[in-house]
Amino acid sequence: MNIILLGPPGAGKGTQAHRLEQQRGMVQLSTGDMLRHAVAAGTPIGLKAKAVMAAGELVSDAIVSALIGERLDTSVDKGAIFDGFPRTQHQAEALDLLLADRARKLDHVIELDVNEEALVDRITGRFSCANCGAGYHDRFKLPRVENTCDVCSAHEFHRRPDDNEQTVRTRMAEYRAKTAPILPYYRERGLVRAVEGMASVDEVARQIDAILDGAPALPF
Ligand code: AMP
């Protein structure tokens, strides 16, 4: 099964993708994570992407589509979760070709329906464990013991440089202008299912599981 998680920054795509990896053995394909690794490693792609990402703008379609193509050639037998890709119409078309070339298809596009203003609060307070990646938040989810990861007890934490308010607003604007308009492309094919992205992590998980396990679509 191959699915796209679609929603603005901070909608919870990464959180749900991690859970699906753990519970279903699917593989998260996050172009944001791939680009951050490229930046950290100082590869030619990373050097190109660094300033674009810091500004909250979109990296070129050719670069991200190539990254996804490479990852699709590695083991994704139990299915791929596209997280943060596609973000433009060109990328959506590129993904169709990449999947068709590998005799794969898209099963669902899951739209995380969210309130943008609340997302700015969600994103600007978030941080994660530098060792295991567990997610925290200044107001909603501090570690149980100060400065100590609940999961692995590490003491180093990390904040994304693009999680500041100004960049977040640009990222939202990019989503509205370039990514939300690809929804009709998938709606026409009957692939889009919406979930209530402002609900608790567990409730969003429940709604996604119902879709993946074949619950019929509600009329809307
Ligand atoms: P994310 O982790 O998905 O929020 O992505 C972080 C940043 O990486 C974005 O703000 C973009 O600059 C870049 N990026 C990630 N995925 C894409 C994509 N599919 N197309 C273009 N730029 C991307």
Side-chain angles (χ1 to χ4, degrees), residues 15-215:
T15 303
Q16 295 298 331
H18 281 144
R19 183 189 65 84
L20 290 168
E21 282 198 315
Q22 279 157 11
Q23 294 180 356
R24 295 184 183 241
M26 297 171 78
V27 176
Q28 176 195 27
L29 300 185
S30 156
T31 40
D33 284 349
M34 294 173 202
L35 290 166
R36 278 184 287 280
H37 283 132
V39 170
T43 65
I45 285 180
L47 295 176
K48 272 194 193 149
K50 187 173 181 182
V52 179
M53 292 171 77
E57 291 163 5
L58 294 188
V59 173
S60 83
D61 291 336
I63 287 181
V64 291
S65 303
L67 287 173
I68 287 284
E70 279 166 26
R71 281 295 279 110
L72 274 178
D73 289 329
T74 64
S75 144
V76 286
D77 300 344
K78 293 203 175 147
I81 310 155
F82 297 98
D83 162 6
F85 180 91
R87 264 176 155 98
T88 65
Q89 180 69 29
H90 269 116
Q91 292 178 24
E93 289 165 14
L95 178 59
D96 281 342
L97 293 176
L98 288 168
L99 289 171
D101 280 352
R102 292 159 180 80
R104 289 171 164 265
K105 69 173 179 54
L106 264 181
D107 295 279
H108 299 287
V109 176
I110 299 181
E111 178 190 6
L112 292 137
D113 196 10
V114 284
N115 163 343
E116 273 196 25
E117 271 314 303
L119 291 190
V120 176
D121 265 4
R122 257 198 205 179
I123 297 184
T124 53
R126 71 184 179 179
F127 61 100
S128 59
C129 171
N131 180 48
C132 74
Y136 296 96
H137 195 281
D138 292 328
R139 288 178 297 286
F140 311 134
K141 194 189 171 205
L142 283 167
R144 283 193 291 270
V145 177
E146 197 180 345
N147 220 23
T148 305
C149 176
D150 295 352
V151 179
C152 73
S153 302
H155 301 295
E156 295 277 322
F157 294 89
H158 172 74
R159 283 178 199 265
R160 278 173 50 172
D162 58 347
D163 275 354
N164 63 79
E165 179 163 355
Q166 192 188 352
T167 306
V168 169
R169 297 225 178 255
T170 306
R171 288 159 64 196
M172 297 284 181
E174 290 281 70
Y175 178 81
R176 245 179 278 123
K178 297 174 184 162
T179 308
I182 66 181
L183 276 162
Y185 178 72
Y186 292 122
R187 270 203 193 103
E188 271 167 21
R189 287 151 60 181
L191 289 175
V192 179
R193 301 285 299 273
V195 300
E196 175 46 58
M198 298 314 292
S200 67
V201 172
D202 287 348
E203 173 57 18
V204 176
R206 198 193 58 73
Q207 292 185 19
I208 292 176
D209 283 343
I211 294 168
L212 302 192
D213 294 335

